[in-house]
mmCIF file of all heavy atoms in Angstrom:
data_model
loop_
_atom_site.group_PDB
_atom_site.id
_atom_site.type_symbol
_atom_site.label_atom_id
_atom_site.label_comp_id
_atom_site.label_asym_id
_atom_site.label_seq_id
_atom_site.Cartn_x
_atom_site.Cartn_y
_atom_site.Cartn_z
ATOM 1 N N ILE A 1 343.814 154.762 39.885
ATOM 2 C CA ILE A 1 342.969 153.541 39.994
ATOM 3 C C ILE A 1 343.540 152.750 41.185
ATOM 4 O O ILE A 1 344.718 152.354 41.301
ATOM 5 C CB ILE A 1 343.173 152.665 38.703
ATOM 6 C CG1 ILE A 1 342.722 153.459 37.498
ATOM 7 C CG2 ILE A 1 342.316 151.343 38.915
ATOM 8 C CD1 ILE A 1 341.138 153.811 37.545
ATOM 9 N N VAL A 2 342.681 152.419 42.083
ATOM 10 C CA VAL A 2 343.067 151.677 43.388
ATOM 11 C C VAL A 2 342.401 150.288 43.286
ATOM 12 O O VAL A 2 341.197 150.221 43.247
ATOM 13 C CB VAL A 2 342.708 152.454 44.642
ATOM 14 C CG1 VAL A 2 343.159 151.731 45.939
ATOM 15 C CG2 VAL A 2 343.167 153.886 44.602
ATOM 16 N N ARG A 3 343.249 149.209 43.390
ATOM 17 C CA ARG A 3 342.729 147.907 43.340
ATOM 18 C C ARG A 3 343.072 147.115 44.688
ATOM 19 O O ARG A 3 344.202 147.138 45.067
ATOM 20 C CB ARG A 3 343.239 147.146 42.104
ATOM 21 C CG ARG A 3 342.808 145.726 41.985
ATOM 22 C CD ARG A 3 343.286 145.120 40.702
ATOM 23 N NE ARG A 3 342.848 145.866 39.549
ATOM 24 C CZ ARG A 3 343.321 145.823 38.306
ATOM 25 N NH1 ARG A 3 344.313 145.031 38.122
ATOM 26 N NH2 ARG A 3 342.836 146.494 37.357
ATOM 27 N N ASP A 4 342.004 146.421 45.230
ATOM 28 C CA ASP A 4 342.335 145.677 46.412
ATOM 29 C C ASP A 4 342.891 144.249 46.164
ATOM 30 O O ASP A 4 342.298 143.543 45.390
ATOM 31 C CB ASP A 4 340.969 145.488 47.215
ATOM 32 C CG ASP A 4 341.165 144.762 48.453
ATOM 33 O OD1 ASP A 4 342.214 144.409 48.825
ATOM 34 O OD2 ASP A 4 340.071 144.389 49.178
ATOM 35 N N ILE A 5 344.174 144.110 46.534
ATOM 36 C CA ILE A 5 344.855 142.829 46.191
ATOM 37 C C ILE A 5 345.148 142.057 47.424
ATOM 38 O O ILE A 5 346.010 141.036 47.479
ATOM 39 C CB ILE A 5 346.090 143.071 45.424
ATOM 40 C CG1 ILE A 5 347.072 144.010 46.316
ATOM 41 C CG2 ILE A 5 345.847 143.720 44.094
ATOM 42 C CD1 ILE A 5 348.445 144.142 45.695
ATOM 43 N N THR A 6 344.390 142.384 48.531
ATOM 44 C CA THR A 6 344.611 141.728 49.827
ATOM 45 C C THR A 6 344.445 140.078 49.643
ATOM 46 O O THR A 6 345.314 139.345 50.024
ATOM 47 C CB THR A 6 343.638 142.147 50.901
ATOM 48 O OG1 THR A 6 343.732 143.657 50.902
ATOM 49 C CG2 THR A 6 343.992 141.545 52.279
ATOM 50 N N GLN A 7 343.306 139.725 49.218
ATOM 51 C CA GLN A 7 342.993 138.348 48.957
ATOM 52 C C GLN A 7 343.911 137.664 48.104
ATOM 53 O O GLN A 7 344.269 136.504 48.180
ATOM 54 C CB GLN A 7 341.552 138.081 48.674
ATOM 55 C CG GLN A 7 340.590 138.541 49.721
ATOM 56 C CD GLN A 7 339.153 138.266 49.389
ATOM 57 O OE1 GLN A 7 338.898 137.872 48.203
ATOM 58 N NE2 GLN A 7 338.197 138.443 50.310
ATOM 59 N N VAL A 8 344.257 138.406 46.933
ATOM 60 C CA VAL A 8 345.174 137.855 45.963
ATOM 61 C C VAL A 8 346.504 137.512 46.543
ATOM 62 O O VAL A 8 347.069 136.411 46.389
ATOM 63 C CB VAL A 8 345.261 138.833 44.686
ATOM 64 C CG1 VAL A 8 346.419 138.308 43.902
ATOM 65 C CG2 VAL A 8 344.015 138.948 44.047
ATOM 66 N N LYS A 9 347.025 138.544 47.291
ATOM 67 C CA LYS A 9 348.351 138.275 47.993
ATOM 68 C C LYS A 9 348.301 137.102 48.986
ATOM 69 O O LYS A 9 349.201 136.277 49.133
ATOM 70 C CB LYS A 9 348.851 139.618 48.640
ATOM 71 C CG LYS A 9 349.369 140.638 47.643
ATOM 72 C CD LYS A 9 350.557 140.137 46.902
ATOM 73 C CE LYS A 9 351.025 141.111 45.981
ATOM 74 N NZ LYS A 9 352.292 140.622 45.163
ATOM 75 N N GLU A 10 347.156 137.056 49.792
ATOM 76 C CA GLU A 10 347.005 136.011 50.723
ATOM 77 C C GLU A 10 346.947 134.650 49.976
ATOM 78 O O GLU A 10 347.608 133.723 50.544
ATOM 79 C CB GLU A 10 345.798 136.228 51.582
ATOM 80 C CG GLU A 10 345.905 137.292 52.481
ATOM 81 C CD GLU A 10 344.579 137.583 53.279
ATOM 82 O OE1 GLU A 10 343.512 136.940 52.880
ATOM 83 O OE2 GLU A 10 344.563 138.392 54.174
ATOM 84 N N ALA A 11 346.225 134.563 48.869
ATOM 85 C CA ALA A 11 346.183 133.309 48.132
ATOM 86 C C ALA A 11 347.575 132.979 47.575
ATOM 87 O O ALA A 11 347.859 131.764 47.515
ATOM 88 C CB ALA A 11 345.203 133.411 46.990
ATOM 89 N N GLU A 12 348.290 133.940 47.103
ATOM 90 C CA GLU A 12 349.690 133.716 46.641
ATOM 91 C C GLU A 12 350.459 133.166 47.721
ATOM 92 O O GLU A 12 351.287 132.151 47.374
ATOM 93 C CB GLU A 12 350.248 134.990 45.992
ATOM 94 C CG GLU A 12 349.548 135.382 44.714
ATOM 95 C CD GLU A 12 350.253 136.697 44.146
ATOM 96 O OE1 GLU A 12 351.072 137.336 44.918
ATOM 97 O OE2 GLU A 12 349.870 137.164 43.098
ATOM 98 N N GLN A 13 350.311 133.711 48.922
ATOM 99 C CA GLN A 13 351.234 133.328 49.927
ATOM 100 C C GLN A 13 350.818 131.912 50.383
ATOM 101 O O GLN A 13 351.775 131.117 50.714
ATOM 102 C CB GLN A 13 351.077 134.197 51.143
ATOM 103 C CG GLN A 13 352.048 133.985 52.348
ATOM 104 C CD GLN A 13 353.533 134.036 51.831
ATOM 105 O OE1 GLN A 13 353.951 134.945 51.198
ATOM 106 N NE2 GLN A 13 354.204 133.017 52.239
ATOM 107 N N ARG A 14 349.542 131.627 50.426
ATOM 108 C CA ARG A 14 349.119 130.182 50.775
ATOM 109 C C ARG A 14 349.634 129.239 49.677
ATOM 110 O O ARG A 14 350.083 128.139 50.065
ATOM 111 C CB ARG A 14 347.591 130.194 50.844
ATOM 112 C CG ARG A 14 346.987 130.869 52.038
ATOM 113 C CD ARG A 14 345.565 130.398 52.276
ATOM 114 N NE ARG A 14 344.645 130.825 51.177
ATOM 115 C CZ ARG A 14 344.076 131.931 51.106
ATOM 116 N NH1 ARG A 14 344.210 132.786 52.061
ATOM 117 N NH2 ARG A 14 343.232 132.226 50.069
ATOM 118 N N LEU A 15 349.613 129.649 48.451
ATOM 119 C CA LEU A 15 350.140 128.742 47.408
ATOM 120 C C LEU A 15 351.566 128.538 47.560
ATOM 121 O O LEU A 15 352.118 127.399 47.444
ATOM 122 C CB LEU A 15 349.857 129.353 45.994
ATOM 123 C CG LEU A 15 350.312 128.526 44.840
ATOM 124 C CD1 LEU A 15 349.619 127.152 44.795
ATOM 125 C CD2 LEU A 15 349.955 129.255 43.515
ATOM 126 N N ILE A 16 352.371 129.557 47.902
ATOM 127 C CA ILE A 16 353.797 129.504 48.157
ATOM 128 C C ILE A 16 354.132 128.553 49.351
ATOM 129 O O ILE A 16 354.981 127.623 49.339
ATOM 130 C CB ILE A 16 354.468 130.800 48.407
ATOM 131 C CG1 ILE A 16 354.314 131.648 47.020
ATOM 132 C CG2 ILE A 16 355.800 130.652 48.908
ATOM 133 C CD1 ILE A 16 354.766 133.099 47.208
ATOM 134 N N ASP A 17 353.262 128.761 50.410
ATOM 135 C CA ASP A 17 353.403 127.918 51.572
ATOM 136 C C ASP A 17 353.179 126.472 51.256
ATOM 137 O O ASP A 17 353.769 125.525 51.758
ATOM 138 C CB ASP A 17 352.604 128.418 52.755
ATOM 139 C CG ASP A 17 352.936 129.775 53.337
ATOM 140 O OD1 ASP A 17 354.163 130.127 52.973
ATOM 141 O OD2 ASP A 17 352.189 130.548 53.911
ATOM 142 N N SER A 18 352.016 126.267 50.508
ATOM 143 C CA SER A 18 351.666 124.918 50.127
ATOM 144 C C SER A 18 352.793 124.271 49.327
ATOM 145 O O SER A 18 353.072 123.075 49.508
ATOM 146 C CB SER A 18 350.374 124.985 49.371
ATOM 147 O OG SER A 18 349.988 123.652 48.989
ATOM 148 N N GLU A 19 353.256 124.973 48.281
ATOM 149 C CA GLU A 19 354.329 124.438 47.520
ATOM 150 C C GLU A 19 355.593 124.054 48.293
ATOM 151 O O GLU A 19 356.246 123.099 48.160
ATOM 152 C CB GLU A 19 354.774 125.374 46.400
ATOM 153 C CG GLU A 19 353.674 125.628 45.355
ATOM 154 C CD GLU A 19 353.995 126.675 44.297
ATOM 155 O OE1 GLU A 19 354.937 127.401 44.610
ATOM 156 O OE2 GLU A 19 353.358 126.662 43.314
ATOM 157 N N ASN A 20 355.886 124.903 49.376
ATOM 158 C CA ASN A 20 357.053 124.688 50.215
ATOM 159 C C ASN A 20 356.796 123.471 51.002
ATOM 160 O O ASN A 20 357.664 122.617 51.185
ATOM 161 C CB ASN A 20 357.312 125.890 51.092
ATOM 162 C CG ASN A 20 357.856 127.140 50.303
ATOM 163 O OD1 ASN A 20 358.359 126.910 49.232
ATOM 164 N ND2 ASN A 20 357.731 128.284 50.868
ATOM 165 N N ARG A 21 355.516 123.304 51.573
ATOM 166 C CA ARG A 21 355.244 122.134 52.353
ATOM 167 C C ARG A 21 355.410 120.867 51.554
ATOM 168 O O ARG A 21 355.961 119.788 51.975
ATOM 169 C CB ARG A 21 353.925 122.260 52.994
ATOM 170 C CG ARG A 21 353.754 123.320 54.146
ATOM 171 C CD ARG A 21 352.573 123.037 54.950
ATOM 172 N NE ARG A 21 351.377 123.324 54.063
ATOM 173 C CZ ARG A 21 350.805 124.582 53.971
ATOM 174 N NH1 ARG A 21 351.396 125.543 54.706
ATOM 175 N NH2 ARG A 21 349.754 124.720 53.269
ATOM 176 N N LEU A 22 354.805 120.986 50.276
ATOM 177 C CA LEU A 22 354.904 119.838 49.445
ATOM 178 C C LEU A 22 356.308 119.536 49.014
ATOM 179 O O LEU A 22 356.694 118.216 49.024
ATOM 180 C CB LEU A 22 354.077 120.060 48.145
ATOM 181 C CG LEU A 22 354.000 119.027 47.108
ATOM 182 C CD1 LEU A 22 353.321 117.805 47.705
ATOM 183 C CD2 LEU A 22 353.210 119.453 45.807
ATOM 184 N N SER A 23 357.111 120.475 48.828
ATOM 185 C CA SER A 23 358.506 120.133 48.453
ATOM 186 C C SER A 23 359.213 119.562 49.621
ATOM 187 O O SER A 23 360.012 118.610 49.381
ATOM 188 C CB SER A 23 359.220 121.503 48.069
ATOM 189 O OG SER A 23 358.620 121.994 46.843
ATOM 190 N N ALA A 24 359.039 120.045 50.793
ATOM 191 C CA ALA A 24 359.611 119.484 51.950
ATOM 192 C C ALA A 24 359.149 118.092 52.208
ATOM 193 O O ALA A 24 360.039 117.211 52.632
ATOM 194 C CB ALA A 24 359.318 120.253 53.263
ATOM 195 N N LEU A 25 357.855 117.809 51.964
ATOM 196 C CA LEU A 25 357.303 116.413 52.087
ATOM 197 C C LEU A 25 357.964 115.502 51.143
ATOM 198 O O LEU A 25 358.468 114.373 51.548
ATOM 199 C CB LEU A 25 355.799 116.455 52.007
ATOM 200 C CG LEU A 25 355.102 115.105 51.920
ATOM 201 C CD1 LEU A 25 355.343 114.432 53.339
ATOM 202 C CD2 LEU A 25 353.654 115.268 51.678
ATOM 203 N N ILE A 26 358.124 115.921 49.901
ATOM 204 C CA ILE A 26 358.708 115.087 48.930
ATOM 205 C C ILE A 26 360.170 114.733 49.171
ATOM 206 O O ILE A 26 360.636 113.673 49.023
ATOM 207 C CB ILE A 26 358.523 115.698 47.462
ATOM 208 C CG1 ILE A 26 356.993 115.683 47.020
ATOM 209 C CG2 ILE A 26 359.341 115.030 46.423
ATOM 210 C CD1 ILE A 26 356.732 116.302 45.803
ATOM 211 N N LEU A 27 360.829 115.913 49.637
ATOM 212 C CA LEU A 27 362.343 115.691 49.869
ATOM 213 C C LEU A 27 362.584 114.725 51.028
ATOM 214 O O LEU A 27 363.618 114.088 51.102
ATOM 215 C CB LEU A 27 362.901 117.140 50.277
ATOM 216 C CG LEU A 27 363.130 118.101 49.075
ATOM 217 C CD1 LEU A 27 363.579 119.420 49.609
ATOM 218 C CD2 LEU A 27 364.090 117.503 48.120
ATOM 219 N N ASN A 28 361.611 114.555 51.927
ATOM 220 C CA ASN A 28 361.892 113.759 53.118
ATOM 221 C C ASN A 28 361.042 112.486 53.126
ATOM 222 O O ASN A 28 360.978 111.821 54.176
ATOM 223 C CB ASN A 28 361.566 114.552 54.367
ATOM 224 C CG ASN A 28 362.526 115.762 54.569
ATOM 225 O OD1 ASN A 28 363.637 115.513 54.966
ATOM 226 N ND2 ASN A 28 362.082 116.916 54.332
ATOM 227 N N LEU A 29 360.389 112.154 52.040
ATOM 228 C CA LEU A 29 359.614 110.919 51.919
ATOM 229 C C LEU A 29 360.578 109.652 52.088
ATOM 230 O O LEU A 29 361.714 109.698 51.669
ATOM 231 C CB LEU A 29 358.921 110.812 50.618
ATOM 232 C CG LEU A 29 357.603 111.552 50.478
ATOM 233 C CD1 LEU A 29 357.101 111.406 49.067
ATOM 234 C CD2 LEU A 29 356.541 111.068 51.294
ATOM 235 N N GLU A 30 360.017 108.591 52.610
ATOM 236 C CA GLU A 30 360.689 107.369 52.726
ATOM 237 C C GLU A 30 360.932 106.707 51.384
ATOM 238 O O GLU A 30 361.878 105.946 51.131
ATOM 239 C CB GLU A 30 360.113 106.382 53.704
ATOM 240 C CG GLU A 30 360.301 106.736 55.108
ATOM 241 C CD GLU A 30 361.774 106.702 55.487
ATOM 242 O OE1 GLU A 30 362.497 105.654 55.218
ATOM 243 O OE2 GLU A 30 362.266 107.705 56.170
ATOM 244 N N SER A 31 360.057 107.014 50.432
ATOM 245 C CA SER A 31 360.173 106.494 49.061
ATOM 246 C C SER A 31 360.988 107.493 48.267
ATOM 247 O O SER A 31 361.009 108.682 48.442
ATOM 248 C CB SER A 31 358.797 106.346 48.492
ATOM 249 O OG SER A 31 358.000 105.462 49.155
ATOM 250 N N GLY A 32 361.766 106.890 47.298
ATOM 251 C CA GLY A 32 362.487 107.617 46.397
ATOM 252 C C GLY A 32 361.639 108.167 45.232
ATOM 253 O O GLY A 32 360.839 107.356 44.702
ATOM 254 N N ILE A 33 361.569 109.503 45.011
ATOM 255 C CA ILE A 33 360.756 110.076 44.057
ATOM 256 C C ILE A 33 361.599 110.703 42.915
ATOM 257 O O ILE A 33 362.502 111.465 43.141
ATOM 258 C CB ILE A 33 359.892 111.193 44.841
ATOM 259 C CG1 ILE A 33 359.041 110.574 45.817
ATOM 260 C CG2 ILE A 33 358.984 111.852 43.722
ATOM 261 C CD1 ILE A 33 357.989 109.622 45.341
ATOM 262 N N LEU A 34 361.109 110.496 41.654
ATOM 263 C CA LEU A 34 361.757 111.155 40.562
ATOM 264 C C LEU A 34 360.621 111.532 39.502
ATOM 265 O O LEU A 34 359.891 110.568 39.002
ATOM 266 C CB LEU A 34 362.750 110.208 39.874
ATOM 267 C CG LEU A 34 363.366 110.773 38.565
ATOM 268 C CD1 LEU A 34 364.247 111.918 38.941
ATOM 269 C CD2 LEU A 34 364.249 109.667 37.870
ATOM 270 N N LEU A 35 360.361 112.820 39.311
ATOM 271 C CA LEU A 35 359.420 113.306 38.481
ATOM 272 C C LEU A 35 360.157 113.883 37.217
ATOM 273 O O LEU A 35 361.014 114.829 37.337
ATOM 274 C CB LEU A 35 358.531 114.407 39.110
ATOM 275 C CG LEU A 35 357.520 115.044 38.234
ATOM 276 C CD1 LEU A 35 356.503 113.992 37.808
ATOM 277 C CD2 LEU A 35 356.818 116.165 38.993
ATOM 278 N N GLU A 36 359.866 113.419 36.048
ATOM 279 C CA GLU A 36 360.474 113.748 34.749
ATOM 280 C C GLU A 36 359.457 114.396 33.854
ATOM 281 O O GLU A 36 358.229 113.944 33.886
ATOM 282 C CB GLU A 36 361.149 112.688 34.050
ATOM 283 C CG GLU A 36 362.280 111.950 34.829
ATOM 284 C CD GLU A 36 362.859 110.766 34.128
ATOM 285 O OE1 GLU A 36 362.386 110.431 33.028
ATOM 286 O OE2 GLU A 36 363.700 110.078 34.706
ATOM 287 N N ASP A 37 359.804 115.396 33.080
ATOM 288 C CA ASP A 37 358.913 116.005 32.066
ATOM 289 C C ASP A 37 358.914 115.059 30.822
ATOM 290 O O ASP A 37 359.552 114.040 30.705
ATOM 291 C CB ASP A 37 359.207 117.466 31.868
ATOM 292 C CG ASP A 37 360.568 117.634 31.203
ATOM 293 O OD1 ASP A 37 361.163 116.578 30.615
ATOM 294 O OD2 ASP A 37 361.155 118.738 31.209
ATOM 295 N N GLU A 38 358.127 115.619 29.793
ATOM 296 C CA GLU A 38 358.017 114.760 28.618
ATOM 297 C C GLU A 38 359.389 114.560 27.849
ATOM 298 O O GLU A 38 359.498 113.667 26.960
ATOM 299 C CB GLU A 38 356.970 115.371 27.567
ATOM 300 C CG GLU A 38 357.330 116.755 27.066
ATOM 301 C CD GLU A 38 356.760 117.862 27.972
ATOM 302 O OE1 GLU A 38 356.774 117.655 29.234
ATOM 303 O OE2 GLU A 38 356.426 118.896 27.486
ATOM 304 N N TYR A 39 360.392 115.425 28.169
ATOM 305 C CA TYR A 39 361.651 115.292 27.490
ATOM 306 C C TYR A 39 362.668 114.662 28.414
ATOM 307 O O TYR A 39 363.879 114.629 28.123
ATOM 308 C CB TYR A 39 362.159 116.752 27.192
ATOM 309 C CG TYR A 39 361.319 117.521 26.295
ATOM 310 C CD1 TYR A 39 360.626 118.650 26.886
ATOM 311 C CD2 TYR A 39 360.982 117.165 25.018
ATOM 312 C CE1 TYR A 39 359.735 119.338 26.126
ATOM 313 C CE2 TYR A 39 360.059 117.850 24.246
ATOM 314 C CZ TYR A 39 359.445 118.980 24.772
ATOM 315 O OH TYR A 39 358.528 119.744 24.077
ATOM 316 N N ARG A 40 362.131 113.990 29.525
ATOM 317 C CA ARG A 40 362.963 113.251 30.506
ATOM 318 C C ARG A 40 363.909 114.162 31.224
ATOM 319 O O ARG A 40 364.942 113.714 31.778
ATOM 320 C CB ARG A 40 363.698 112.128 29.818
ATOM 321 C CG ARG A 40 362.762 111.100 29.247
ATOM 322 C CD ARG A 40 363.388 109.671 29.360
ATOM 323 N NE ARG A 40 363.657 109.270 30.721
ATOM 324 C CZ ARG A 40 364.356 108.162 30.981
ATOM 325 N NH1 ARG A 40 364.825 107.467 30.063
ATOM 326 N NH2 ARG A 40 364.571 107.896 32.229
ATOM 327 N N ASN A 41 363.574 115.482 31.416
ATOM 328 C CA ASN A 41 364.339 116.367 32.276
ATOM 329 C C ASN A 41 363.758 116.275 33.682
ATOM 330 O O ASN A 41 362.541 116.217 33.816
ATOM 331 C CB ASN A 41 364.248 117.816 31.758
ATOM 332 C CG ASN A 41 364.940 118.001 30.451
ATOM 333 O OD1 ASN A 41 365.984 117.294 30.190
ATOM 334 N ND2 ASN A 41 364.333 118.671 29.503
ATOM 335 N N ILE A 42 364.677 116.276 34.684
ATOM 336 C CA ILE A 42 364.185 116.154 36.077
ATOM 337 C C ILE A 42 363.418 117.340 36.501
ATOM 338 O O ILE A 42 363.932 118.465 36.485
ATOM 339 C CB ILE A 42 365.323 115.882 36.996
ATOM 340 C CG1 ILE A 42 365.944 114.550 36.610
ATOM 341 C CG2 ILE A 42 364.813 115.894 38.505
ATOM 342 C CD1 ILE A 42 367.145 114.126 37.539
ATOM 343 N N VAL A 43 362.196 117.188 37.033
ATOM 344 C CA VAL A 43 361.401 118.315 37.549
ATOM 345 C C VAL A 43 361.622 118.451 39.035
ATOM 346 O O VAL A 43 361.704 119.463 39.569
ATOM 347 C CB VAL A 43 359.860 118.142 37.212
ATOM 348 C CG1 VAL A 43 359.026 119.176 37.860
ATOM 349 C CG2 VAL A 43 359.680 118.102 35.693
#
């Protein structure tokens, strides 16, 4: 069975790149950011 996963992998890579950019943006914001889950653990 042969399945084309080209677009899936590209989408996964775009998602990873987007997450990395978002993380970099948050890390370097002028505002202090703290995101906690419902148990008050730092996300």
Side-chain angles (χ1 to χ4, degrees):
I1 300 293
V2 183
R3 179 175 299 163
D4 182 1
I5 60 171
T6 308
Q7 294 183 350
V8 173
K9 285 296 182 182
E10 289 176 350
E12 289 178 354
Q13 187 59 46
R14 286 195 299 270
L15 181 60
I16 292 171
D17 293 342
S18 178
E19 290 177 347
N20 290 338
R21 287 194 296 270
L22 181 60
S23 296
L25 175 63
I26 291 175
L27 285 173
N28 294 286
L29 279 176
E30 282 300 310
S31 297
I33 300 296
L34 177 63
L35 179 62
E36 300 177 358
D37 62 18
E38 62 269 37
Y39 305 110
R40 297 210 62 192
N41 296 320
I42 295 178
V43 177

